């Protein structure tokens, strides 16, 4: 084997040539509905927990130390939701929480009925789960359509049947920012035995959502949407009334097998506590950013894809006769990360099922619209830089 010193000498000439380096340009991130950067609170909590390597299920001192952190994280999340810690179940994220609720509740209660009500604008982590139950297990589903871009509580009520066992509705749409009438739906379901599941992935940490007050039975959340780490989330359950999705050990009071991801869980709890503490000022900041963006674009031709009320963190807009895939690429090449708000498969941007439900499958909006999504870390200067470059590209 050649000594390292000899290898370096032999290859020195190859490395002595001047290397041309591209100038590093700071990329402005405006895709926070997809994921958010870790908050300082999350980083600090996770860094501290990295020194705690015990298994929370172990009874020795190392395990008890880990278990204490796990209990505290559960308490912190429960406090942010104004509920009790025994109603919080740790998962790997929103997708697992949705699967656990919809499949688990449907399987346990199929003797009472096999009808599920949801909406046409849900995330795929709900739509595909419901479709799976319909295709493979004989369930039936009603997909409530939006009216003027919004889901109405009265249409949810009309969709209910005596054999409806579950209603699953998102709190905030991830593509348009539409805020759905969760309070009204929770109230009307008091007169019906169906359970109420809310996919709150885009809402938790941004809006005050307290499941006990809103009469929610199950609520899904994902840490990376509110400046926590990826790969961790939680499920609020008024009662742990579902068949287990994960089987194996006795973790999470025997409701979700698998050693808990303690580092990420403590980061999630810290991120949620921080977001909740600054919720109002952050919401006001997001509204200011949205107002600025729309004002800056007032002298060019565009339209908004939204309904009232809407969350200011998510802005979906389109430009007539401008292909969104090309615009996305041009903005990326110029240092701006945005999205179309739709799924991307094998590099091909697929038309948004949300916009299709709102405007029809033949609408030009499906191919002209982009999504800009901000966070409390987004600055006014970044928005101004974005609108300036966007208008340059559009020729405005």
């Amino acid at each position: 084997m050649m000594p390292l010193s000899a290898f370096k000498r032999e290859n020195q000439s190859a490395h002595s040539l001047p290397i041309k380096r591209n100038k590093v340009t700071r990329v402005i991130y405006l895709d926070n509905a997809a994921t958010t950067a870790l908050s300082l609170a999350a980083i600090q909590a996770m860094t501290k927990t990295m020194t705690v390597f015990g298994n929370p299920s172990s009874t020795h001192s190392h395990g008890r130390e880990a278990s204490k952190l796990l209990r505290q994280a559960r308490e912190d999340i429960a406090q942010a939701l104004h509920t009790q810690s025994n109603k919080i179940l740790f998962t790997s994220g929103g997708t697992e929480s949705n699967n656990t609720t919809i499949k688990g509740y449907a399987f346990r209660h199929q003797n009472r009925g096999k009808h599920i009500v949801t909406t046409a604008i849900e995330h795929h982590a709900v739509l595909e789960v419901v479709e799976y139950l319909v295709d493979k297990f004989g369930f039936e589903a009603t997909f409530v359509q939006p009216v003027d871009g919004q889901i109405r509580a009265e249409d949810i009520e009309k969709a209910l049947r005596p054999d409806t066992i579950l209603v699953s509705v998102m709190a905030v749409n991830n593509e348009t920012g539409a805020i759905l009438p969760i309070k009204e739906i929770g109230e009307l379901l008091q007169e019906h035995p169906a359970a109420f599941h809310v996919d709150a992935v885009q809402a938790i940490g941004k809006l005050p959502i307290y499941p006990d007050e809103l009469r929610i039975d199950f609520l899904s959340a994902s840490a990376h949407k509110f400046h926590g780490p990826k790969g961790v989330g939680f499920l609020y359950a008024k009662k742990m009334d579902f068949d287990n999705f994960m089987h194996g050990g006795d973790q999470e009071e025997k409701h979700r097998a698998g050693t808990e991801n303690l580092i990420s869980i403590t980061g999630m709890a810290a991120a949620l506590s921080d977001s909740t503490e600054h919720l109002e000022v952050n919401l006001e900041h997001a509204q200011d950013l949205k107002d600025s963006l729309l004002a800056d674009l007032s002298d060019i031709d565009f339209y908004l894809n939204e309904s009232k009320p809407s969350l200011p963190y998510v802005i979906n807009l389109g430009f007539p006769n401008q292909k969104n895939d090309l615009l996305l690429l041009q903005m990326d090449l110029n240092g701006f990360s945005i999205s179309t708000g739709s799924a991307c498969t094998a590099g091909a941007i697929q038309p948004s099922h949300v916009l299709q439900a709102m405007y029809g499958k033949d609408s030009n909006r499906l191919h002209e619209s982009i999504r800009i999504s901000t966070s409390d870390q987004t600055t006014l200067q970044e928005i101004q830089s974005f609108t300036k470059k966007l208008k340059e590209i559009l020729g405005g």
Side-chain angles (χ1 to χ4, degrees):
M1 181 178 293
M2 181 183 296
L4 180 59
S5 58
F7 177 84
K8 288 182 176 179
R9 287 195 301 271
E10 185 171 306
N11 290 275
Q12 187 172 13
S13 58
H15 292 282
S16 62
L17 296 175
I19 299 174
K20 184 177 180 180
R21 300 183 184 277
N22 293 325
K23 181 179 179 181
V24 177
T25 303
R26 178 173 177 267
V27 177
I28 293 178
Y29 184 73
L30 297 173
D31 196 19
N32 288 274
T35 195
T36 56
L38 284 171
S39 66
L40 179 60
I43 292 172
Q44 291 175 336
M46 294 169 71
T47 302
K48 183 177 180 180
T49 309
M50 285 178 183
T51 62
V52 179
F53 60 88
N55 189 320
S57 298
S58 299
T59 57
H60 48 59
S61 60
H62 288 83
R64 292 196 301 273
E65 182 184 13
S67 180
K68 181 179 179 180
L69 290 178
L70 191 67
R71 288 197 305 273
Q72 186 59 57
R74 205 184 308 272
E75 288 284 353
D76 292 344
I77 290 173
Q79 183 176 353
L81 269 61
H82 293 188
T83 191
Q84 293 78 44
S85 61
N86 63 354
K87 298 179 180 181
I88 303 300
L89 181 75
F90 293 126
T91 69
S92 63
T95 295
E96 185 189 331
S97 295
N98 289 340
N99 274 262
T100 297
T101 298
I102 299 171
K103 290 179 184 176
Y105 193 85
F107 288 145
R108 175 167 290 192
H109 295 278
Q110 58 185 314
N111 63 316
R112 294 195 297 107
K114 301 187 76 170
H115 181 239
I116 299 170
V117 173
T118 187
T119 83
I121 65 170
E122 298 298 311
H123 191 277
H124 289 293
V126 167
L127 293 178
E128 292 193 11
V129 178
V130 174
E131 290 167 357
Y132 171 76
L133 291 173
V134 170
D135 293 341
K136 301 295 185 181
F137 297 95
F139 283 82
E140 296 181 77
T142 299
F143 299 89
V144 175
Q145 300 292 322
V147 176
D148 296 326
Q150 183 59 280
I151 298 297
R152 304 182 305 184
E154 56 261 39
D155 292 330
I156 297 291
E157 186 173 22
K158 291 176 184 177
L160 294 174
R161 303 184 339 199
D163 61 339
T164 303
I165 58 171
L166 180 67
V167 175
S168 181
V169 178
M170 63 192 349
V172 172
N173 185 264
N174 55 299
E175 294 193 26
T176 67
I179 299 174
L180 279 69
I182 298 304
K183 182 176 185 294
E184 292 81 358
I185 296 172
E187 290 173 350
L188 71 87
L189 285 175
Q190 295 307 295
E191 305 301 322
H192 194 283
F196 186 27
H197 167 241
V198 174
D199 178 351
V201 167
Q202 285 293 337
I204 292 295
K206 301 180 181 73
L207 291 176
I209 295 187
Y210 309 125
D212 290 339
E213 297 176 17
L214 295 172
R215 301 176 180 181
I216 295 170
D217 295 298
F218 302 100
L219 179 144
S220 302
S222 189
H224 75 107
K225 304 294 187 178
F226 50 81
H227 300 297
K230 298 173 182 64
V232 67
F234 65 85
L235 171 64
Y236 159 91
K238 186 176 181 180
K239 295 180 181 179
M240 298 292 172
D241 187 16
F242 49 80
D243 284 356
N244 288 353
F245 182 62
M246 304 280 284
H247 297 86
D250 291 340
Q251 291 87 358
E252 297 300 289
E253 299 296 326
K254 300 183 180 181
H255 297 299
R256 196 270 189 183
T259 303
E260 292 92 348
N261 183 357
L262 186 61
I263 295 171
S264 293
I265 287 171
T266 57
M268 172 173 63
L272 183 58
S273 296
D274 183 62
S275 295
T276 302
E277 182 180 353
H278 302 97
L279 191 146
E280 290 186 9
V281 65
N282 289 343
L283 190 60
E284 183 178 345
H285 176 66
Q287 187 63 57
D288 289 342
L289 295 179
K290 180 178 179 178
D291 291 344
S292 175
L293 185 147
L294 297 180
D296 287 347
L297 297 179
S298 61
D299 56 345
I300 65 172
D301 189 14
F302 77 95
Y303 52 82
L304 275 173
N305 300 310
E306 72 170 12
S307 60
K308 299 296 184 180
S310 64
L311 189 72
Y313 289 95
V314 181
I315 310 164
N316 195 305
L317 67 165
F319 305 91
N321 304 314
Q322 298 290 336
K323 295 296 185 181
N324 57 6
D325 55 349
L326 295 178
L327 186 55
L328 189 72
L329 176 61
Q330 289 175 302
M331 293 304 297
D332 184 38
L333 292 174
N334 282 277
F336 296 89
S337 295
I338 59 173
S339 76
T340 61
S342 57
C344 183
T345 304
I349 295 175
Q350 303 298 323
S352 163
H353 72 281
V354 175
L355 297 186
Q356 182 172 318
M358 292 171 64
Y359 303 113
K361 64 179 182 179
D362 297 324
S363 174
N364 290 333
R365 294 186 182 223
L366 275 63
H367 308 285
E368 296 174 344
S369 300
I370 61 173
R371 181 186 69 183
I372 299 96
S373 48
T374 64
S375 80
D376 56 282
Q377 296 185 13
T378 307
T379 67
L380 180 59
Q381 290 72 28
E382 289 175 329
I383 292 296
Q384 292 171 338
S385 296
F386 166 76
T387 54
K388 180 180 178 181
K389 180 55 65 176
L390 177 64
K391 290 197 289 186
E392 287 179 8
I393 292 174
L394 295 175

